[in-house]
């Protein structure tokens, strides 16, 4: 597929066929992810490919349990809203593979220097909010999703399960010093029709200053 067409056609896939993905195809997706730009070429990412159905189920169970625990402590209407969206945090349980994305620490350029000169809190907060480490991870995940789509697979970038990040990490059992789980990307052969919400026109999101 032509590249811009691929970008236009990509959509989040949340239903998958019961079809295994060869590990070599997953490797190609991760190879594409690893070609992304990153702050100072830090490549501050690690991708754990979980194909074990039992572990995938346990990851989803950990998220479900947290959602149920949090919901039971919330007032009624908030609890209903929170649990209503739980399927958007747990549907990965039916995927043939889930890629757990880990991010390594990244100190923004100038942060330590600003700290040293006792810069204002707002200046430091700006650097943290624009977090280059997480921006790099975003570039890698998009590469991964586009590569998956190009190869006839589909996937979904997921951060809703992050409130259960610690529990998911324990289930996966992967440890890398300074790294933490920041997203899950279930991948597989799409099952059913494409459903993607409308996107804003370029005119709406673009400002030209001449
Ligand atoms: C940072 C990020 C986090 C997301 N987290 C979730 C998620 O937890 N669950 C989910 O179902 N979709 C999630 N999505 C997918 C978005 O809902 C989806 O990209 C958006 O609705 C646009 O649809 P499209 O990807 O089909 O174009 C996430 C997307 C991004 C970029």
């Amino acid at each position: 597929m032509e590249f811009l067409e691929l970008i236009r056609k990509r959509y989040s896939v949340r239903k998958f066929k019961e079809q295994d993905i060869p590990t070599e195809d997953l490797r190609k997706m991760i190879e594409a992810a690893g070609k992304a730009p990153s702050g100072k070429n830090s490549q501050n990412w690690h991708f754990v490919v979980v194909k074990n159905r039992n572990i995938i189920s346990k990851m989803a169970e950990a998220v479900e349990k947290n959602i149920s625990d949090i919901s039971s402590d919330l007032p009624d209407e908030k609890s209903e809203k929170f649990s209503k969206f739980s399927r958007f945090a747990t549907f990965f349980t039916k995927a043939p593979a889930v890629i757990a994305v880990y991010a390594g620490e990244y100190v923004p350029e100038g942060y330590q220097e600003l700290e040293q000169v006792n810069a204002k809190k707002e200046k430091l907060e700006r650097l943290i909010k624009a977090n280059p480490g997480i921006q790099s991870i975003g570039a890698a995940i998009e590469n991964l999703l586009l590569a998956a789509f190009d190869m006839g697979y589909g996937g979904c970038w997921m951060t809703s399960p992050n409130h259960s990040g610690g529990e998911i990490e324990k289930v996966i059992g992967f440890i890398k010093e300074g790294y933490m789980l920041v997203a899950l990307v279930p991948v597989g052969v799409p099952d059913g029709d494409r459903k993607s919400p409308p996107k804003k026109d370029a005119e709406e999101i673009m400002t030209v200053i001449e």
Side-chain angles (χ1 to χ4, degrees):
M1 207 184 298
E2 194 252 322
F3 187 62
L4 289 180
E5 193 190 354
L6 181 83
I7 289 179
R8 269 184 229 112
K9 290 197 167 155
R10 182 216 55 84
Y11 63 100
S12 291
V13 174
R14 298 182 177 88
K15 275 181 88 182
F16 306 94
K17 290 199 170 138
E18 288 265 338
Q19 199 177 312
D20 184 39
I21 307 188
T23 302
E24 176 53 21
D25 286 355
L26 289 156
R27 197 197 64 78
K28 282 184 190 151
M29 291 172 206
I30 286 164
E31 186 182 26
K35 299 288 180 226
S38 60
K40 294 185 192 162
N41 196 27
S42 57
Q43 304 173 60
N44 58 315
W45 42 57
H46 195 91
F47 303 90
V48 179
V49 180
V50 186
K51 293 181 84 182
N52 182 304
R53 298 233 52 97
N54 189 32
I55 295 180
I56 294 175
S57 297
K58 288 208 168 113
M59 287 159 66
E61 279 163 23
V63 180
E64 265 158 21
K65 182 177 180 317
N66 262 335
I67 291 173
S68 154
D69 289 352
I70 297 166
S71 297
S72 64
D73 285 343
L74 286 171
D76 277 358
E77 95 261 15
K78 284 204 173 146
S79 160
E80 203 182 312
K81 198 171 160 220
F82 188 59
S83 34
K84 206 170 111 190
F85 286 100
S86 76
R87 73 190 165 91
F88 288 103
T90 56
F91 68 85
F92 66 83
T93 193
K94 297 245 170 82
V98 178
I99 301 171
V101 184
Y102 287 73
E105 279 163 26
Y106 186 100
V107 181
E109 179 70 14
Y111 189 88
Q112 280 159 342
E113 291 76 6
L114 281 174
E115 253 186 344
Q116 238 165 20
V117 298
N118 296 319
K120 282 192 178 148
K121 206 171 124 229
E122 300 86 75
K123 279 208 163 194
L124 291 164
E125 274 173 6
R126 267 189 91 97
L127 286 184
I128 295 297
K129 279 186 187 160
N131 195 332
I134 290 297
Q135 292 193 36
S136 306
I137 299 292
I141 296 178
E142 181 65 355
N143 268 14
L144 191 157
L145 286 172
L146 289 172
F149 197 62
D150 192 44
M151 292 161 69
Y153 298 107
C156 186
W157 187 330
M158 296 182 73
T159 55
S160 303
N162 281 359
H163 53 64
S164 308
E167 290 84 348
I168 299 173
E169 281 178 4
K170 274 197 192 120
V171 173
I172 295 175
F174 170 82
I175 295 167
K176 190 170 161 86
E177 180 71 27
Y179 279 66
M180 69 174 231
L181 181 76
V182 293
L184 295 179
V185 184
V187 282
V189 177
D191 186 16
D193 293 337
R194 81 160 270 164
K195 259 195 191 152
S196 205
K199 299 287 157 67
K200 294 174 185 171
D201 290 334
E203 288 67 31
E204 200 184 334
I205 58 170
M206 176 172 115
T207 300
V208 182
I209 300 176
E210 283 177 324

